[in-house]
Amino acid sequence: RNMAPEGSSTAGQRRQEYISYRRTPQSVSELKEKKFSNKERKAFKRKWREDKLITQMKKDKKLRLDRETIAREKEEELMKQNRCGRPYTLAIALPGSILDNAQSAELRAYLAGQVARAAAIFNVDEIVIFDESNRARKTSSEFSGLKKSGQGNTQLFHILQYLECPQYLRKMFFPYHQDLKYAGLLNPLDIPHHLRETDVCEYREGITLKKPTSSKRTGSYANIGLKKDVLLDMDVKPGQRVTVRLNEQTTDKKNLTGVVVSPNEPRELAGIYWGYTVRLASCLSEVFTQSPHDNGYDLTIGTSERGHHLDEEISKFNHAMIVFGGLKGLEACVEADSSISSDDPCDLFQYYLNVCPGQGSRSIRTEEAILIALTALTPKLRAVHFQDENNTSR
């Protein structure tokens, strides 16, 4: 009699399971149906408030990160706008025969080092070495002996290239060569891309390596003078010199990545002097006809003691070329070049200047003329662009 029917016990069990399943409210509307105790209501409200707070914190964090990203991008854009980039290039040309006047191999190397130092001090972007005798039609990079014609051109070419290259890359690009026998005794250029391992810079010079990458990554590795090799954004043939813009400034990360850029980008965007290139020309006319720029040099200046004073203002330009003569002056270089129809150097240049009027010595050496000319002309060249930018901003 005390035993309940089978059907009633099953129904009670089902009702008990149903109630226990429904003891946790699923929404606020369900909580208002008054099917739960105060304890259950408080537990639900507490959990609801916690979930709401967590959701709000996630939203606030996302908004904060977005604001920081936007602020950082604006700051980087403002830094790029405020960077004092240099839009023009400056090139000089001189004959390699100036080394023939040196009395010993050590003095020949030291004279080449003086030319390199002068170019670095005044931010020269290109050095052209031409043969003033117009005899070396085929300039060779091999050492051809001290007494052979044209050897001064190649030796000056090798030493200038060696001094411009960062120290940590020289062993890979310059094997032992007779022309570089005394290059280690020369004064270093200490230009911005000659970076030490501890120096911090957005750009670095490097050499691509024959180093395999993982299957998940594409690109080549390069040695940029740090303890770790950098992974580039593209595949480059091993043994090539590249200019790399690093994606991160800290070297503590496990993997360093960088982007291969033009060697002109540090100068154009950041205003950083990034060294010079060296080019050989078999005669004076090839200085202009083999220009690396599409439209050539739009400002040409010749220097001589028979030149004129620079009284007028220089017009705006993109690529300037300043040419220096050898022991016999530019007049002898023009006469020796059969491809130049005129014998007057004034017809070859836009400006034919005497940068040192009233000189006390009968002659000015070429390495001295480079310093004098660049000291006098560099402020005028810079004023053409930077005064124009100031007037535009006003």
Side-chain angles (χ1 to χ4, degrees):
R1 187 173 53 181
N2 294 332
M3 295 177 61
E6 293 183 3
S8 61
S9 63
T10 305
Q13 187 177 1
R14 288 179 179 174
R15 184 172 178 274
Q16 186 177 1
E17 291 178 356
Y18 175 78
I19 292 175
S20 63
Y21 175 76
R22 300 284 295 181
R23 297 320 289 178
T24 303
Q26 300 298 319
S27 63
V28 177
S29 59
E30 187 177 326
L31 184 67
K32 293 180 180 179
E33 294 179 1
K34 299 182 179 179
K35 294 181 180 180
F36 307 95
S37 64
N38 291 334
K39 186 176 181 181
E40 291 170 339
R41 291 171 184 272
K42 290 180 180 180
F44 172 78
K45 289 181 179 180
R46 183 168 57 252
K47 186 177 184 306
W48 178 77
R49 284 194 297 266
E50 291 176 355
D51 294 341
K52 185 178 180 181
L53 181 61
I54 292 174
T55 305
Q56 186 64 34
M57 290 175 63
K58 290 181 178 179
K59 289 182 179 179
D60 294 342
K61 183 179 180 180
K62 186 177 183 302
L63 290 174
R64 186 176 68 255
L65 293 176
D66 292 342
R67 285 195 296 266
E68 291 177 355
T69 303
I70 294 173
R72 185 169 57 254
E73 291 177 353
K74 288 183 178 179
E75 185 178 357
E76 291 177 355
E77 187 67 24
L78 185 62
M79 289 178 61
K80 288 182 179 180
Q81 294 176 0
N82 293 336
R83 280 177 170 178
C84 187
R86 178 162 57 91
Y88 67 92
T89 63
L90 176 60
I92 63 173
L94 67 156
S97 60
I98 63 173
L99 297 188
D100 297 335
N101 199 33
Q103 287 78 16
S104 64
E106 294 89 341
L107 291 177
R108 291 165 67 93
Y110 185 76
L111 180 56
Q114 285 183 298
V115 175
R117 285 284 302 172
I121 290 171
F122 290 98
N123 298 345
V124 173
D125 302 298
E126 181 189 12
I127 303 177
V128 185
I129 305 167
F130 64 92
D131 193 323
E132 64 176 346
S133 63
N134 198 23
R135 295 176 183 173
R137 283 298 177 184
K138 294 183 179 180
T139 52
S140 174
S141 61
E142 296 297 329
F143 183 78
S144 55
L146 287 174
K147 296 182 180 180
K148 293 187 179 181
S149 175
Q151 193 275 329
N153 299 331
T154 56
Q155 185 175 12
L156 181 58
F157 176 81
H158 289 149
I159 294 177
L160 291 179
Q161 277 192 327
Y162 177 84
L163 292 177
E164 186 275 339
C165 183
Q167 289 86 341
Y168 56 87
L169 297 178
R170 288 177 179 173
K171 288 185 178 180
M172 289 165 275
F173 283 114
F174 296 94
Y176 176 78
H177 197 285
Q178 187 68 21
D179 289 349
L180 303 176
K181 183 177 181 180
Y182 299 102
L185 303 176
L186 302 180
N187 297 322
L189 302 187
D190 201 20
I191 43 186
H193 70 286
H194 287 193
L195 295 167
R196 300 166 182 83
E197 184 180 324
T198 56
D199 293 339
V200 178
C201 184
E202 184 179 3
Y203 300 93
R204 274 184 173 268
E205 288 291 294
I207 180 174
T208 53
L209 306 174
K210 190 176 181 181
K211 182 178 178 180
T213 58
S214 62
S215 57
K216 297 181 180 179
R217 298 187 178 185
T218 58
S220 302
Y221 280 100
N223 175 15
I224 58 173
L226 300 175
K227 292 181 179 179
K228 302 176 183 177
D229 297 330
V230 62
L231 180 63
L232 306 179
D233 63 328
M234 62 176 65
D235 293 323
V236 185
K237 184 180 177 181
Q240 301 298 313
R241 179 173 170 178
V242 290
T243 303
V244 182
R245 184 180 71 242
L246 296 175
N247 294 330
E248 54 276 325
Q249 296 301 313
T250 176
T251 59
D252 297 334
K253 292 189 176 181
K254 182 178 180 181
N255 297 311
L256 295 178
T257 58
V259 180
V260 179
V261 298
S262 168
N264 298 324
E265 182 173 310
R267 169 183 58 83
E268 295 174 347
L269 295 184
I272 304 174
Y273 175 59
W274 211 246
Y276 54 79
T277 59
V278 190
R279 177 165 62 92
L280 280 170
S282 62
C283 57
L284 180 59
S285 59
E286 286 190 0
V287 172
F288 307 100
T289 58
Q290 295 185 357
S291 170
H293 311 292
D294 295 335
N295 299 323
Y297 304 103
D298 49 2
L299 175 63
T300 56
I301 301 174
T303 60
S304 173
E305 60 181 3
R306 303 172 186 85
H308 311 291
H309 299 291
L310 181 60
D311 298 328
E312 55 183 311
E313 292 184 358
I314 298 176
S315 57
K316 193 172 182 179
F317 65 95
N318 294 320
H319 308 290
M321 166 60 75
I322 305 175
V323 183
F324 300 90
L327 300 176
K328 299 179 182 179
L330 270 179
E331 293 79 10
C333 301
V334 174
E335 292 178 1
D337 195 338
S338 58
S339 59
I340 299 177
S341 58
S342 176
D343 293 336
D344 189 359
C346 295
D347 300 334
L348 190 61
F349 304 98
Q350 294 174 330
Y351 300 94
Y352 194 58
L353 305 177
N354 180 8
V355 294
C356 186
Q359 64 189 56
S361 176
R362 291 190 183 92
S363 61
I364 297 179
R365 299 173 64 89
T366 303
E367 65 273 17
E368 298 168 345
I370 294 174
L371 290 171
I372 297 171
L374 294 178
T375 301
L377 295 176
T378 298
K380 298 181 181 295
L381 300 178
R382 290 179 59 86
V384 172
H385 287 270
F386 291 101
Q387 282 185 0
D388 184 67
E389 290 180 0
N390 294 335
N391 296 333
T392 304
S393 61
R394 291 177 185 175

